[in-house]
Amino acid sequence: MSGSSAESGLLVERCGDICRLTLNRPERRNALSRELLQHLDDVLVRIGADEEVRVVVLAAAGPVFCSGHDLKELSTLDTEQAEALFALCARMMQRMREIPQPVLARVQGVATAAGCQLVAACDLAVASSHATFATPGVKIGLFCTTPMVPLVRCVPQRLALEMLLTGEPISADRALTAGLVNRVVPPEELDAAVEELCAAICRSSFHVVRLGKRAFYAQRHLSEPAAYSAAVEVMTDNLQCADAQEGIAAFLEKRPPQWSGG
């Protein structure tokens, strides 16, 4: 699965177990046009059905990761069109959580509004020390309500409200402390850090990673008793699968496991 589309502004590249999606509208600060959102959603659907892809990396060309929605496009929409656009964006963001592969954001620069939403909606994120994060919609009279949804599920409430109510950016280090990103590295080490995290994921059974990602999001907002009940069922089923049996045997026999690949 590889290729490019100048029209939609998305590059799709496959390298072994990893599929890299690159926002490629640097001249528009990688703004999320309707066409780009639709292409992203379509590609994620295809990736989700591809068992040879183990990890998805979401990157961006140019100095800006993503500046959010394309404001020129937004200014032309009527109510029905705007609702359709925001619904498409919400669907694409949720798609990243729904596909079995972990989705990792490679954040090299500014991530604002729906761009910050993109980072928060990914499963993992690695950021350059030069990156900044903001939800500045309040400054132009358009509160970042949809970006708020994944943001408040990543960072503490008071920081989320500070970002949403002031629109002021936070640094990569503060984003790391708050839990918006997993790692912060110097710009020249960004690719190596992304590759290291991808490699760590790919060393495990894809079947078990897929099972684990699904279980994580399924239990996250349940009460503790309900979460335990769901987790017990998943872990019981997991124990019976071939890769669990192989992994336990390999550990006891002090040898590398041979995963099924499924």
Side-chain angles (χ1 to χ4, degrees), residues 90-167:
R91 184 167 69 248
M92 187 278 294
M93 299 287 178
Q94 291 175 87
R95 189 85 65 193
M96 293 194 290
R97 295 282 174 87
E98 292 166 357
I99 65 172
Q101 299 88 347
V103 182
L104 190 159
R106 175 198 180 276
V107 190
Q108 87 289 11
V110 175
T112 62
C116 186
Q117 180 183 4
L118 261 182
V119 177
C122 286
D123 302 303
L124 303 167
V126 177
S128 159
S129 55
H130 291 179
T132 58
F133 304 85
T135 49
V138 68
K139 293 184 174 184
I140 61 167
L142 184 64
F143 198 83
C144 284
T145 313
T146 48
M148 171 181 70
V149 174
L151 181 66
V152 301
R153 287 161 171 77
C154 280
V155 306
Q157 175 178 305
R158 290 189 186 278
L159 176 58
L161 278 169
E162 178 185 332
M163 292 176 68
L164 291 160
L165 294 172
T166 69

Side-chain angles (χ1 to χ4, degrees), residues 1 8 20 42 48 59 65 68 82 94 103 121 124 131 134 156 170 173 183 197 200 240 251 256:
M1 180 184 300
S8 71
R20 184 182 177 106
D42 292 343
F65 177 73
Q94 291 175 87
V103 182
L124 303 167
I170 63 170
D173 285 339
R183 302 181 186 180
L197 197 50
Q240 308 310 312
F251 178 81

Side-chain angles (χ1 to χ4, degrees), residues 54-114:
R54 301 297 185 94
V55 183
V56 179
V57 174
L58 181 62
V64 173
F65 177 73
C66 179
S67 59
H69 286 292
D70 189 324
L71 294 181
K72 276 192 174 182
E73 183 178 64
L74 283 188
S75 68
T76 68
L77 303 181
D78 61 26
T79 301
E80 184 176 338
Q81 292 168 330
E83 183 176 13
L85 176 68
F86 294 136
L88 168 61
C89 183
R91 184 167 69 248
M92 187 278 294
M93 299 287 178
Q94 291 175 87
R95 189 85 65 193
M96 293 194 290
R97 295 282 174 87
E98 292 166 357
I99 65 172
Q101 299 88 347
V103 182
L104 190 159
R106 175 198 180 276
V107 190
Q108 87 289 11
V110 175
T112 62

Side-chain angles (χ1 to χ4, degrees), residues 2 36 39 49-50 167 194 221 230:
S2 64
L36 176 53
H39 195 186
D50 187 343
V194 169
H221 300 296

